[in-house]
């Protein structure tokens, strides 16, 4: 019964996306910092973030919210890709990762093969590296 009422209330509203998740996590972090420091401006900033999150969540203007989320993802995308690559490199103990000096493509080669010639799969440039 309550679930159906909530579903009817949320019908036509934008809902959750990556920007809302970021805003919610930012709110929680700032609020926790406020709890430890009692620095009042942090409380107001965190409250504004929560209000913005709720506004976006309950908005009926979906095209505008999607455009905001697309801008956020375009801005944060390179940082996310960098973190994912660092995590992959950290977890992968069987390969070495190199960046092509010509085009910047990330290349993976087996570890422990000594000095090898690496050929870039995107631009075709060859260079020597120690694996």
């Amino acid at each position: 019964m309550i679930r159906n009422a909530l579903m009817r209330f949320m019908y036509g509203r934008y809902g959750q996306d990556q920007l809302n998740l970021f805003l919610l996590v930012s709110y929680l972090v700032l609020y926790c910092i406020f709890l430890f420091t009692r620095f009042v401006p942090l409380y107001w900033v965190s409250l504004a973030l929560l209000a913005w999150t709720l506004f976006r969540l309950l908005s009926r203007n979906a095209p505008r919210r999607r455009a905001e989320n697309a801008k956020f993802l375009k801005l944060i995308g390179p940082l996310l890709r960098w973190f994912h690559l660092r995590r992959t490199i950290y977890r992968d103990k069987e390969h070495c990762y190199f960046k092509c000096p010509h085009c910047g493509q990330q290349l993976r080669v087996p570890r422990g093969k000594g000095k090898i010639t690496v050929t870039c799969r995107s631009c075709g440039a060859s260079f020597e590296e120690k694996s």
Side-chain angles (χ1 to χ4, degrees):
M1 177 94 172
I2 293 175
R3 182 173 180 222
N4 288 338
L6 184 60
M7 287 175 62
R8 278 195 312 272
F9 176 73
M10 288 302 292
Y11 183 77
R13 299 187 189 274
Y14 184 64
Q16 189 73 313
D17 62 3
Q18 292 89 352
L19 177 55
N20 267 9
L21 184 63
F22 173 77
L23 291 173
L24 192 60
V25 169
S26 299
Y27 158 74
L28 290 172
V29 168
L30 288 178
Y31 191 74
C32 287
I33 293 172
F34 161 72
L35 288 177
F36 288 115
T37 63
R38 294 292 180 196
F39 185 60
V40 177
L42 278 180
Y43 172 75
W44 292 109
V45 170
S46 67
L47 199 61
L49 285 176
L50 183 62
W52 188 20
T53 303
L54 288 174
F55 168 75
R56 292 188 81 255
L57 181 79
L58 299 174
S59 174
R60 291 186 184 266
N61 190 353
R64 182 113 186 230
R65 302 294 86 83
R66 275 195 291 272
E68 291 169 354
N69 192 49
K71 284 181 186 176
F72 171 73
L73 290 177
K74 188 175 181 182
L75 179 72
I76 205 80
L79 183 64
L80 286 177
R81 283 190 294 277
W82 185 83
F83 275 115
H84 286 288
L85 179 65
R86 293 293 146 230
R87 185 181 65 192
T88 301
I89 290 172
Y90 178 75
R91 289 179 178 174
D92 189 5
K93 303 296 182 196
E94 298 174 0
H95 296 93
C96 287
Y97 289 80
F98 299 109
K99 190 178 268 194
C100 176
H102 298 291
C103 68
Q105 175 74 32
Q106 285 290 334
L107 305 169
R108 184 180 80 162
V109 297
R111 188 179 293 269
K113 299 290 182 187
K115 199 167 203 173
I116 59 173
T117 301
V118 180
T119 303
C120 179
R121 61 180 173 257
S122 84
C123 70
S126 294
F127 56 96
E128 283 195 6
E129 288 288 341
K130 183 179 177 224
S131 67

